[in-house]
Amino acid sequence: MTTRDVLTDWSALRDGVPPVWARYTDLIVERASGSWIETVDGTRYLDYTSGIGVVNTGHAHPRVVAAISEQAARGIHLQQNIVYHQPGLELHRRLPERFPNPQADTDYGLFLSNSGAEAVEAAVKLAKVATGRPLVIAFRGGFHGRTHGAMALTSSTVKYRAHFEPLMGGVQHVPYPYPLKMGGPDAALATTLAAIDEVFATTAAPDDVAAFVVEPVLGEGGYVIPPDAFLPALREVADRHGILLAVDEVQSGYARTGRFFATEWTDATPDIVIMAKGIASGLPLSGILAARSLLDRLEPGTHGGTYGGNAVACAAALATLDVIDDEGLAERAHRLGARLVDGLRDRVGAHESVREVRGRGLMVAVELDSGARAKRVLAEALARNLLLLTCGTSGQVVRIIPPLVTTEEEVDLAIGVIGDALAASTA
C-alpha cells in the first residue's frame, strides 16, 4: 500500500510548503486536462492562469504527454556537455527557424537552459561579451526573473527587490510606454524615448550600453500593450548607438498573442530573443535565440548548466511546436482573444471600477481602480470555479491567461463569471 492510498487528508501536508511561495489558492489538484483542473475532492475549475502562461497547449495535451513518455523510456537526462541527444539536435534545428522578422542570409542559433531567469542571464552575458560594454537599460514595470542578476532588471513591483540590495550594478531603468497612464499611445512613446535620451545625457553614455532588455507586451507590470511604433523606435535607437535589442518573450511568446512571438506584431528585428514558459508545455526549459555570429561569441565553458536542454523537456518542446502549428493555436489565440476582450468590454467595460479592458491574443487584462478590488474579484471568481491572476505594480490588474486550446464556450463562461465576480466585489 502506498502513501497515496492511506493518506486522505492532503491538506495536512500544506504547512510543509514554505511561505515564500505566495499563494493564489489552497487547491490540491488531482488531475488536469485542457483548460480544466480537478481537485482531490472532485471539484472542477476553469484554469485561466495556464500555470502563469506556461501550458499554452493546455494541461496534459495528449501529443505532449506521448512525447514525454516515449523520450523518458529512451533516456531522461543526457547532459549537453557530454553527449548529443536527438530531441535536442532537432530543437536546435527547428527553433531558430522561428526567429521573429529574420534578416536575410542570417544564420540563427539557439542556447538552451532551464528557466526564464536563466535565459535572461544568458542574454545579458551574451550582450556584454559581444559588445564589450558594461551597462543594460531595462524598462519600469518589467519582470525578468528573481535570480540576483535578473532581479536587477526587474521593477514590476518592489517586493521582488526589497531587502536583496545591492543587486547587480550597471542597470538603468526608463518608463515603459503605458498608454492608459501616459495620455495615449503617442504621448506614451514620446515619454519613453525622451527618458532614454535623458539617460544618455545624464547617467549612461550610449557607447557604454550593451543592450536594451524589453518585453514586447509588459507582463507582470500590467499586461500593457505598447504603442505599435515602440519596438521599431527602440530598434532605431539601438542601431544608432550600436546597442543590442533583447526582447523578453518569456510570457508573450509561443502563440500567446496571436503571433508565435509578440515581436512579430511589428517589423522590428531583435538581436536576442528570450524564451521560456510555453516552450515545453510545462516542463522546465528555456532559451535564447540569436544570430550564430553573435551567439558564438560565448566561448566554450563561459556559460551553461547541468539541466539545460534536458532530453525529455526537448521532446516536449518539439511536440509543443507541432501542436501549435497543426492546431493553428496562434490564429486561435487571435480569434478567441478578440472574443474575450470584446465580451469583457460589453460586460464590465462600463463598470465604475474598470479603468481599461485590453489584450493582444489570449494575453488579456482588466485594469481596475485598486489592488484590493482586483483581489476581491479573484476571490469571487474562485468561488465560481474560475482561476485568474493579478498583475500590475499594485496588483490592480486582473490577468487572464487561458490555454490556447480553450473553446468559445469556455471563453463565454469566463466572461460571465468575471462579470458576476466584479458585481459581487462591490456588493
Side-chain angles (χ1 to χ4, degrees), residues 195-382:
I196 293 172
D197 287 341
E198 180 73 7
V199 166
F200 289 161
T202 59
T203 58
D207 58 5
D208 278 338
V209 177
F212 292 111
V213 179
V214 63
E215 294 171 278
V217 176
L218 199 63
E220 292 276 337
Y223 270 34
V224 177
I225 302 166
D228 292 340
F230 173 50
L231 283 186
L234 200 57
R235 175 76 273 176
E236 190 278 328
V237 174
D239 288 342
R240 193 187 329 144
H241 298 292
I243 299 169
L244 299 180
L245 176 59
V247 292
D248 184 336
E249 293 266 12
V250 169
Q251 192 159 176
S252 59
Y254 274 74
R256 170 60 54 188
T257 68
R259 300 286 190 273
F260 190 81
F261 288 120
T263 302
E264 296 172 65
W265 285 99
T266 77
D267 62 1
T269 300
D271 297 294
I272 304 170
V273 179
I274 303 166
M275 309 167 292
K277 289 194 180 291
I279 189 173
S281 295
L283 267 64
L285 191 67
S286 67
I288 61 172
L289 294 171
R292 283 302 301 263
S293 59
L294 181 62
L295 197 58
D296 290 350
R297 297 293 298 275
L298 286 172
E299 296 183 0
T302 59
H303 196 58
T306 300
Y307 292 103
N310 171 269
V312 177
C314 286
L318 292 171
T320 297
L321 292 176
D322 291 338
V323 171
I324 288 173
D325 290 345
D326 295 346
E327 299 188 13
L329 294 190
E331 185 280 330
R332 186 180 188 85
H334 182 59
R335 176 170 53 85
L336 292 184
R339 184 184 187 97
L340 180 56
V341 169
D342 289 346
L344 287 170
R345 285 173 176 164
D346 288 343
R347 182 65 187 267
V348 305
H351 193 280
E352 61 181 7
S353 70
V354 174
R355 296 294 173 259
E356 186 175 48
V357 177
R358 56 180 177 261
R360 178 154 280 170
L362 284 170
M363 193 170 179
V364 176
V366 179
E367 181 153 349
L368 301 177
D369 55 2
S370 69
R373 173 92 64 184
K375 188 175 182 179
R376 290 198 297 273
V377 169
L378 258 63
E380 295 290 347
L382 179 63

Side-chain angles (χ1 to χ4, degrees), residues 11-35:
S11 62
L13 298 180
R14 289 187 301 211
D15 288 344
V17 179
V20 69
W21 291 101
R23 306 213 58 80
Y24 276 94
T25 82
D26 289 320
L27 301 179
I28 302 173
V29 175
E30 172 71 17
R31 59 178 57 86
S33 178
S35 300

